[in-house]
Amino acid sequence: MWDVKKWDSFKAFLTKRVFNEEVMGYSGEFYLFVWAKKSLNKGKKEILKNIRDNNILSSATSNLVAFSLVGILIFAGIIDLEEFIGNIDIIYIIAVLAIVNRIPFLPSRDLIFMWAGIELSRSLNMATASVAGMLLVSSALKKCTNLVLYLLISWYSKEPKIKNDRLNG
């Protein structure tokens, strides 16, 4: 979509991901817009259209994959709908229908998913402590990975400037 060096776009999209996951939903899109405005010879309107279209495609694809996987699990008999639906309160149905991951400006989505996972484990008679531990470790690993990626990208982005300053000064 944009004629940019692969490494530069890779750094920008990783930074966008970190902002979206660790700062606030859709703050990464704002970062990407600012980056694209500086890096591309395109107008603001075209950049915003490209970002919007990418978000729509991403959302549609992720929902299609999720529904397909659930359908496969139901068809294969791994998930028994009769048993599953009988144990669920209306609050769980509302939570599932809300695509919590796409709610804008929502910090700490991991906490919401952890709560939903713990509540779901209770209704499915699973070991709540095990599910909570697994979700906690997953969240911590994701946050550590995002931190390391952000620090590496920030360091690497500043390195050529430091080398140029040493050569010139």
Side-chain angles (χ1 to χ4, degrees):
M1 182 166 24
W2 293 334
D3 188 27
V4 181
K5 292 180 183 177
K6 289 180 183 179
W7 179 247
D8 290 338
S9 62
F10 181 69
K11 290 188 302 185
F13 287 117
L14 276 180
T15 305
K16 171 192 168 291
R17 177 182 182 269
V18 170
F19 275 110
N20 276 343
E21 291 196 12
E22 302 304 331
V23 178
M24 189 181 309
Y26 293 102
S27 62
E29 272 67 24
F30 180 74
Y31 165 80
L32 185 62
F33 172 74
V34 171
W35 174 84
K37 203 167 65 169
K38 289 179 186 176
S39 304
L40 304 173
N41 278 338
K42 297 190 183 272
K44 294 176 185 178
K45 193 172 184 176
E46 186 177 355
I47 292 170
L48 287 172
K49 276 179 42 179
N50 293 150
I51 292 172
R52 178 204 62 199
D53 292 347
N54 184 39
N55 281 336
I56 291 169
L57 288 173
S58 173
S59 177
T61 303
S62 63
N63 286 328
L64 178 67
V65 169
F67 287 123
S68 298
L69 289 174
V70 170
I72 289 169
L73 292 173
I74 291 169
F75 182 72
I78 296 172
I79 295 178
D80 183 15
L81 278 182
E82 291 177 15
E83 181 181 326
F84 188 69
I85 291 175
N87 292 333
I88 294 183
D89 293 335
I90 191 69
I91 190 73
Y92 298 124
I93 295 170
I94 292 170
V96 167
L97 294 176
I99 307 167
V100 173
N101 198 30
R102 294 288 178 177
I103 296 175
F105 312 118
L106 181 67
S108 301
R109 286 180 287 198
D110 289 345
L111 293 176
I112 294 170
F113 283 120
M114 191 174 294
W115 169 79
I118 291 170
E119 290 299 316
L120 189 59
S121 70
R122 287 182 186 157
S123 69
L124 295 175
N125 295 325
M126 298 172 68
T128 305
S130 297
V131 172
M134 178 187 68
L135 292 172
L136 179 65
V137 168
S138 173
S139 177
L141 286 174
K142 188 167 39 168
K143 290 189 181 310
C144 289
T145 302
N146 285 336
L147 176 64
V148 168
L149 285 173
Y150 185 75
L151 291 175
L152 285 173
I153 289 169
S154 297
W155 177 78
Y156 185 80
S157 295
K158 292 177 183 178
E159 186 178 335
K161 184 179 178 184
I162 294 170
K163 286 181 181 178
N164 288 337
D165 288 345
R166 286 183 188 161
L167 292 175
N168 294 332

